[in-house]
Amino acid sequence: RIAADSAGVCGYQNLSAHLSGVSEIFFGKHNLNHNWTYTSPCFTSPDLEDDEICVFTDLNFAQGRGISVVTSPKRANVITSKRAFRDPEFTRGVNQDLVRTIPAVYEIKELPGKGLGVLATRLIRRGELIMANTASVMADVKSEEGLSEAKFQAMVSAAAESLPAAHRNAVMRLSIHNANTLTDAEIASKVMAINAYSVDDPRDDVADPVKFSTIFPELSRINHACRPNTAYFFDWETMAQYVYAVVDIPPGEELSVTYIDGIVSREERLEKLHVSWGFECSCAQCTLESPQVRASDARIKQIKALVDKLESPGRGNPGMAELLISLYKQEKLWGSLYEGYTFAAIEYNRVGDPWRAMKNAQLAIEHGIPVGGENLTDVVEMRSLAENPWEHWSWNLAA
Ligand SMILES: C[S@@+](CC[C@H](N)C(=O)[O-])C[C@H]1O[C@@H](n2cnc3c(N)ncnc32)[C@H](O)[C@@H]1O
């Protein structure tokens, strides 16, 4: 049951103060499958139809690190069905930013034109785990779309402020683009807008999928590069986002992730980062000289044409897949290489060459795990091909 009593929680008190007198406030009666430390009053609006949005905080989550979620009671139940909530030991050691037991392989420093950034302090090998954070503040995209700006800000602010002090400070100190004279509620929503990652439903067969903007305070210090040296993925069982190296990273090099789809022309990338993210990208790929930009854009065009052919049944061949792998390498699209190896494994198997198929399947697995973990569709598929190419659906298909 949702407890309307939020006394003692500074975030929730502010929320109540901010919204007192708002007629849509009501206290729902819901079966919650988790014992949240605090639950706020719930709100609705005509745009939300019969949905209602509340703030849920669990101070005990992940060995006392805490988590706050702005969502409906129904979607809160989807989250709390995960093992991270059911088995408190499951998240032990995941977070290293607040209480460190493993030495960090990076440091956070001020970088010209980018604010803070993260630099490698030793050689980080491809495939190494660099950092991981359980979710801090999760804001349901339906709450952002359905509530007024003021209500959304108040709820996100209440969510952040209700976290334990060290965790709350790590969230509230994230980049807000040098904005000053903001209220706490405005800071919290700016932190969300500039730093949140999208976390989507793990189930692909549901009518009401969950989709959250999510803060991971440590990861949110990593700047964008169109050709990043790390990749990240969210694991719904630990409720954590993991960052892995997708190429060897020498000491002193900046760690980067991509905030956008990098397989588009430089012009489109700059436009997207400007419009959606509000900054002018100064990554190595965006600051190339014109001849290199033209060469890079041409490769991107060729990559797209090849992927298009390789995805259409019967239109690809091993040569196309080998060319795609080469183009990914030339473009330093390390996080996409596993797709090239997957296509190559399938194409070689289709023409009845099991040994090259197995070699490429192994490479797809090795390059895919840092990008999406063991459950990545291509990793699962390539495991079955590598084990027995003759029994795989693609065997000798071209014959
Ligand atoms: C998620 S934060 C990254 C960490 C941030 N630099 C900080 O100081 O906390 C995103 C912001 O960092 C800056 N940034 C990230 N990547 C950048 C890039 N490639 N070029 C310029 N600025 C960048 C932009 O201001 C962007 O809105």
Side-chain angles (χ1 to χ4, degrees):
R1 285 275 294 265
I2 287 193
D5 175 16
S6 57
V9 193
C10 90
Y12 287 5
Q13 276 173 349
N14 288 347
L15 175 68
S16 306
H18 185 88
L19 296 164
S20 60
V22 177
S23 57
E24 296 94 332
I25 296 178
F26 64 92
F27 303 105
K29 283 185 182 168
H30 303 276
N31 288 324
L32 292 173
N33 64 10
H34 184 69
N35 195 10
W36 293 96
T37 315
Y38 309 119
T39 51
S40 80
C42 300
F43 299 84
T44 189
S45 80
D47 286 346
L48 285 167
E49 295 168 358
D50 58 358
D51 213 5
E52 53 191 277
I53 303 290
C54 340
V55 188
F56 302 87
T57 301
D58 182 351
L59 295 181
N60 300 316
F61 182 73
Q63 290 75 47
R65 178 186 175 85
I67 186 171
S68 273
V69 189
V70 178
T71 191
S72 69
K74 196 170 134 209
R75 291 189 293 280
N77 281 348
V78 173
I79 293 176
T80 49
S81 66
K82 303 298 168 197
R83 190 162 165 199
F85 283 90
R86 312 253 68 85
D87 171 6
E89 279 306 301
F90 195 53
T91 48
R92 186 170 292 284
V94 168
N95 294 292
Q96 288 285 318
D97 55 338
L98 300 182
V99 182
R100 191 164 283 287
T101 54
I102 305 167
V105 296
Y106 56 84
E107 59 185 347
I108 295 176
K109 275 199 166 164
E110 188 77 37
L111 299 174
K114 292 185 185 171
L116 295 175
V118 187
L119 306 180
T121 50
R122 67 154 167 82
L123 170 66
I124 304 173
R125 290 285 183 199
R126 171 166 63 81
E128 248 190 86
L129 174 66
I130 299 174
M131 56 172 88
N133 277 170
T134 53
S136 289
V137 178
M138 301 184 82
D140 194 324
V141 295
K142 289 196 178 153
S143 66
E144 193 166 0
E145 288 161 8
L147 295 172
S148 69
E149 197 183 344
K151 268 191 218 163
F152 177 72
Q153 282 185 354
M155 296 191 98
V156 167
S157 171
E161 285 179 34
S162 308
L163 292 169
H167 189 177
R168 173 178 67 232
N169 291 341
V171 172
M172 294 299 276
R173 285 195 202 120
L174 288 173
S175 173
I176 50 168
H177 282 175
N178 299 326
N180 41 32
T181 64
L182 298 182
T183 63
D184 279 356
E186 287 165 340
I187 291 174
S189 77
K190 234 177 171 353
V191 162
M192 255 359 244
I194 293 173
N195 298 279
Y197 283 81
S198 198
V199 164
D200 295 349
D201 207 306
R203 308 159 302 173
D204 47 17
D205 57 344
V206 287
D208 181 24
V210 295
K211 193 174 163 84
F212 291 91
S213 292
T214 305
I215 292 289
F216 306 96
E218 191 186 21
L219 273 62
S220 294
R221 292 296 183 192
I222 305 180
N223 288 316
H224 161 87
C226 294
R227 303 290 177 258
N229 51 19
T230 77
Y232 60 83
F233 62 89
F234 186 74
D235 170 49
W236 276 91
E237 291 309 313
T238 46
M239 294 295 295
Q241 183 110 300
Y242 294 82
V243 178
Y244 281 88
V246 290
V247 62
D248 286 352
I249 307 172
E253 188 167 299
E254 184 180 1
L255 305 185
S256 53
V257 292
T258 185
Y259 298 176
I260 57 166
D261 171 13
I263 307 186
V264 293
S265 70
R266 181 179 81 148
E267 201 181 317
E268 288 169 88
R269 297 196 309 269
L270 287 173
E271 162 90 3
K272 179 90 187 153
L273 289 164
H274 175 76
V275 173
S276 310
W277 285 84
F279 69 90
E280 310 309 317
C281 184
S282 60
C283 83
Q285 195 70 10
C286 286
T287 49
L288 289 173
E289 299 293 330
S290 313
Q292 285 121 306
V293 171
R294 277 197 297 276
S296 165
D297 284 354
R299 281 192 290 266
I300 292 297
K301 227 169 145 184
Q302 209 178 357
I303 286 173
K304 286 184 161 185
L306 284 168
V307 169
D308 201 42
K309 283 220 168 68
L310 288 159
E311 276 178 347
S312 328
R315 286 182 67 205
N317 60 46
M320 284 180 193
E322 294 286 2
L323 178 56
L324 181 65
I325 292 167
S326 164
L327 288 165
Y328 281 147
K329 286 182 182 167
Q330 291 172 58
E331 269 300 290
K332 300 186 169 64
L333 284 163
W334 312 116
S336 301
L337 259 180
Y338 78 92
E339 288 174 354
Y341 290 124
T342 301
F343 280 128
I346 302 242
E347 291 303 328
Y348 278 118
N349 215 37
R350 265 175 29 84
V351 298
D353 186 341
W355 312 110
R356 285 197 179 85
M358 280 193 271
K359 177 188 129 182
N360 281 284
Q362 294 294 2
L363 286 167
I365 294 165
E366 189 182 313
H367 287 261
I369 288 172
V371 176
E374 282 286 350
N375 296 329
L376 187 70
T377 313
D378 281 356
V379 170
V380 174
E381 179 79 31
M382 289 301 102
R383 280 219 189 278
S384 96
L385 190 150
E387 221 161 83
N388 188 344
W390 301 274
E391 292 292 319
H392 191 261
W393 61 263
S394 60
W395 173 247
N396 234 353
L397 216 59

